[in-house]
Amino acid sequence: MGSVRSFGDWALALVLPPRCPGCGAIVEDDTRFCGDCWEKLDFLDNLGCAACNLPLPGGEEVCARCLAAPPRHGRVYAAVAYGEVARKVVLRLKYGRRPGVARIIAASMARDVPLESDALLVPVPLHHWRLWSRGYNQALEIARHVARARGVAVADDALRRIRATPPMKGIGAAARTRAMRGVFRASQRFDGRHVVLVDDVYTSGATVEACARVARRAGAAQVSVLCWARVLRDD
């Protein structure tokens, strides 16, 4: 039986060889980037601002924005800085109908984030119209793979997006915050759990801040953020 399965895997790889999620080049297996894309990824050490993880000059612990308006969530853990390759990966995951990309990036995301055994991974939800058109929630796909790697639970419907939002590209942080008011609702109590919000990209923080506010009201003792890429400048 094993030899039949091995032959089937070999035949499938011959017809549909694994490809790099960054550029589409053929790679050794379906959990890897090609060498060029790997070198272009800017991996973060998660030693920036103690709240939003923005890289800071030596000696500083919290950035000016988080000092002025402390976020409801705790530390943001991001695998890479948002750049050319990280952007292409996100586009393939969200719009290229390649949910398998989530497994590749989850491996990097799960490596350094501290997760106690009772931590609860909560994917940032999509509005039902967007979920219907896309076919899956990329945040949930990522969360499932991180959960398997780290042995923690996923609550796939703990938060619900009850109102659609306009495209956020090109608008400032304050406008994004206003647009996210009243967008999410908790569908369960968290009762002292550590909630880890999972998403693909952290831009201004408006989305996860809105989620964190709702999670806190639903009893979360701590809220952290885990994402694939973090934008290092306002976009």
Side-chain angles (χ1 to χ4, degrees):
M1 189 68 176
S3 60
V4 173
R5 184 178 294 110
S6 298
F7 177 79
D9 293 342
W10 174 84
L12 182 62
L14 188 65
V15 177
L16 297 172
R19 294 185 177 274
C20 170
C23 67
I26 295 175
V27 291
E28 294 180 14
D29 62 58
D30 59 5
T31 63
R32 297 191 180 188
F33 288 86
C34 71
D36 287 343
C37 286
W38 183 261
E39 290 181 358
K40 291 177 182 176
L41 286 170
D42 182 8
F43 287 92
L44 298 176
D45 57 15
N46 289 307
L47 297 177
C49 170
C52 73
N53 202 24
L54 183 73
L56 295 173
E60 295 184 44
E61 293 184 357
V62 181
C63 72
R65 176 181 290 179
C66 291
L67 281 173
R72 298 294 183 94
H73 60 75
R75 194 171 188 87
V76 175
Y77 296 90
V80 300
Y82 191 75
E84 177 188 0
V85 174
R87 175 179 175 274
K88 288 179 179 178
V89 170
V90 169
L91 291 177
R92 282 189 167 88
L93 174 59
K94 292 171 72 169
Y95 307 116
R97 297 193 179 277
R98 291 187 58 187
V101 170
R103 181 159 68 102
I104 303 174
I105 66 176
S108 297
M109 293 167 60
R111 192 165 45 217
D112 297 324
V113 58
L115 292 174
E116 61 273 25
S117 60
D118 65 342
L120 187 65
L121 300 185
V122 176
V124 172
L126 294 178
H127 187 262
H128 62 270
W129 285 114
R130 186 162 294 177
L131 181 62
W132 178 82
S133 64
R134 189 171 298 170
Y136 57 87
N137 179 359
Q138 74 280 354
L140 175 56
E141 298 300 316
I142 294 169
R144 284 171 171 163
H145 289 294
V146 173
R148 292 190 192 105
R150 296 296 301 271
V152 294
V154 179
D156 60 351
D157 58 354
L159 295 180
R160 297 176 59 195
R161 189 182 290 247
I162 59 175
R163 181 167 60 81
T165 52
M168 298 292 181
K169 187 174 178 61
I171 68 174
R176 293 183 190 212
T177 298
R178 289 193 295 272
M180 298 308 299
R181 287 174 182 162
V183 168
F184 300 104
R185 178 181 296 164
S187 57
Q188 69 174 66
R189 295 288 302 173
F190 296 114
D191 296 329
R193 300 282 294 274
H194 175 196
V195 169
V196 182
L197 299 170
V198 180
D199 208 358
D200 51 359
V201 178
Y202 180 102
T203 306
S204 69
T207 299
V208 293
E209 178 69 1
C211 288
R213 186 178 294 110
V214 171
R216 288 282 195 182
R217 287 202 296 260
Q222 179 184 355
V223 180
S224 301
V225 180
L226 176 62
C227 63
W228 158 242
R230 195 222 189 278
V231 175
L232 297 185
R233 59 180 177 81
D234 289 336
D235 215 0

